[in-house]
Amino acid sequence: MAKWPDDDVILYDGVCIFCSRWVRFVARRDTAKRFRFTPIQSEYGAKLARTFGIDPDDPDTNAVVHGGEVFLKSDAALMVLSQLPGWAWVRVLFAVPKPLRDPVYSLIARNRYRIFGKYDSCFVPDADLRTRVME
């Protein structure tokens, strides 16, 4: 899989309410402000998505670039959580095989708009979070 020059970048669906809440959840707990965020609807986010085989018009996963590698689906969520203060314990969940983790992730991803709702336009973060958004 291709490398990406920027590190600790989280790609998310900017119109998905659940995904936007995930971004706020991570940002509040990321006291070192290591993670940056890019909505898939932005030019930068769409380019990142295409590089890693994600359809920007119909995303089925979020992604995170960490340590020069891309992580998708449940690996992405676990990688991000494991880097947050007080959340290192989630690393044990990597022991659960991907064939068990990813179907649960995919089920939620496929139904995220129906379950959680959808914004009419891309989520606009507050001023503090805005400085960490890459577009």
Side-chain angles (χ1 to χ4, degrees):
M1 193 170 274
K3 292 278 189 180
W4 192 256
D6 296 317
D7 207 24
D8 291 328
V9 176
I10 297 173
L11 175 70
Y12 70 99
D13 181 350
V15 297
C16 167
I17 291 174
F18 179 77
C19 305
S20 298
R21 286 182 181 158
W22 163 249
V23 165
R24 289 192 296 262
F25 175 91
V26 171
R28 272 195 306 276
R29 287 156 182 82
D30 181 18
T31 54
K33 297 186 183 218
R34 107 190 268 168
F35 288 106
R36 292 169 295 160
F37 311 93
T38 185
I40 202 165
Q41 291 80 7
S42 71
E43 183 179 333
Y44 180 85
K47 182 178 178 185
L48 178 69
R50 282 190 292 277
T51 299
F52 296 122
I54 301 168
D55 180 353
D57 297 320
D58 187 22
D60 64 349
T61 182
N62 73 338
V64 63
V65 178
H66 176 71
E69 291 183 61
V70 66
F71 296 86
L72 305 171
K73 298 192 179 205
S74 64
D75 284 346
L78 293 177
M79 180 54 66
V80 170
L81 286 172
S82 72
Q83 300 303 307
L84 299 175
W87 286 82
W89 63 269
V90 303
R91 288 185 182 116
V92 301
L93 296 176
F94 280 112
V96 176
K98 279 179 61 91
L100 297 177
R101 287 186 279 122
D102 280 354
V104 173
Y105 181 96
S106 294
L107 178 67
I108 294 168
R110 266 193 319 272
N111 294 291
R112 69 191 182 278
Y113 297 145
R114 185 172 39 249
I115 297 169
F116 303 103
K118 182 178 178 181
Y119 294 121
D120 291 332
S121 59
C122 206
F123 155 73
V124 178
D126 62 33
D128 183 48
L129 182 53
R130 186 91 188 120
T131 63
R132 297 169 64 187
V133 173
M134 303 171 74
E135 296 187 286

